[in-house]
Amino acid sequence: FDLTQFDQYAPLPRGISLLSGHFNSDLLLTFAQASNKAPDITLTGSATLQGLSLKNSTVHSPYQASLKQLTLTLSEVDVMGEKPSQIKLNIDQVALTREGEKNPALSIAGLDADSVIVDKFKHQIALGEITLDRLNTTLRREASGDIDLTRLFSSTQDVQVQKKAKTKTQAQVQTQARIPMPGRKPTPVAAAEIKTTEKAAKSGESVSSASKEKSPAADAPWTTQIKRVKLKAAKLHYED
């Protein structure tokens, strides 16, 4: 399947341009159901991305990414998410090149993850040993003290949010620095908040009790665990 035709079915995010790429898969969907039990739907096989190339202009430092091949081996994937799914990941030749430059800022000849277990119920991702073959990158420390490589992964939207937050913090500091007026009566909003709190206390309601009624599993954040990372013939260049 030619991925460059994908935008005919669903548009890509603004700032992402897919230049080339093909998707191949050999998957088997198995359905089984025992008496008086929920059905088991499992997916096995493999899925491959080949010759992928895209341009990302949504980050602070736009770049072009190239990928020779990515293969996902689905040992056993529970489509319903009731059981942990087992996956293997193999990547062959990936590189990130800044816009206007020829040499990649980050390149990896190969990446192997022998075991990836995804537990949708517990919101956990457990990775076994990850092997990085010939990782090559250059880090440059700018005058501000920041590492330039982080610009490849920080979106322009995040930078704008940080600037707004910094401006808001400075405004709050200036407001707090003013001399308070003694004997000032509370604003109607503050008085309304006090009355609402008193009313909730009389009726026996509390914020903590309301939060306990919520299911912790549904809102629990996803966690990732990595057993070990193995580097083979890695090169790291640092410029200050």
Side-chain angles (χ1 to χ4, degrees), residues 15-17 19 54-66 95-106 140 148-149 151-153 156:
I16 303 294
S17 302
L19 307 178
L54 61 85
K55 184 178 179 180
N56 187 0
S57 301
T58 65
V59 292
H60 194 72
S61 180
Y63 64 85
Q64 182 170 325
S66 61
L96 301 180
T97 305
R98 295 185 185 89
E99 192 175 47
E101 297 186 7
K102 294 182 179 181
N103 297 325
L106 175 67
R140 303 190 188 103
D148 68 335
L149 193 65
R151 294 176 176 268
L152 296 174
F153 307 101
T156 53

Side-chain angles (χ1 to χ4, degrees), residues 45-110:
S46 63
T48 304
L49 286 175
Q50 293 178 325
L52 184 68
S53 179
L54 61 85
K55 184 178 179 180
N56 187 0
S57 301
T58 65
V59 292
H60 194 72
S61 180
Y63 64 85
Q64 182 170 325
S66 61
L67 171 69
K68 183 177 181 180
Q69 182 167 306
L70 180 151
T71 302
L72 277 177
T73 303
L74 312 181
S75 303
E76 185 178 3
V77 174
D78 182 14
V79 178
M80 304 301 293
E82 299 294 334
K83 301 177 182 178
S85 299
Q86 299 180 7
I87 304 171
K88 293 182 180 180
L89 173 65
N90 175 267
I91 296 178
D92 186 15
Q93 296 184 21
V94 60
L96 301 180
T97 305
R98 295 185 185 89
E99 192 175 47
E101 297 186 7
K102 294 182 179 181
N103 297 325
L106 175 67
S107 65
I108 302 174

Side-chain angles (χ1 to χ4, degrees), residues 119-163:
D119 193 330
K120 186 178 179 181
F121 183 76
K122 295 182 179 179
H123 285 194
Q124 292 179 351
I125 301 177
L127 295 93
E129 181 177 277
I130 300 177
T131 303
L132 298 175
D133 184 19
R134 283 170 285 174
L135 168 67
N136 193 346
T137 184
T138 300
L139 303 179
R140 303 190 188 103
R141 191 170 75 93
E142 300 175 341
S144 61
D146 298 329
I147 301 299
D148 68 335
L149 193 65
T150 60
R151 294 176 176 268
L152 296 174
F153 307 101
S154 60
S155 66
T156 53
Q157 186 177 2
D158 292 340
V159 174
Q160 293 175 358
V161 170
Q162 292 175 0
K163 288 182 179 179

Side-chain angles (χ1 to χ4, degrees), residues 32-46:
Q33 184 174 16
S35 179
N36 299 326
K37 290 186 178 181
D40 289 332
I41 305 176
T42 57
L43 189 64
T44 57
S46 63

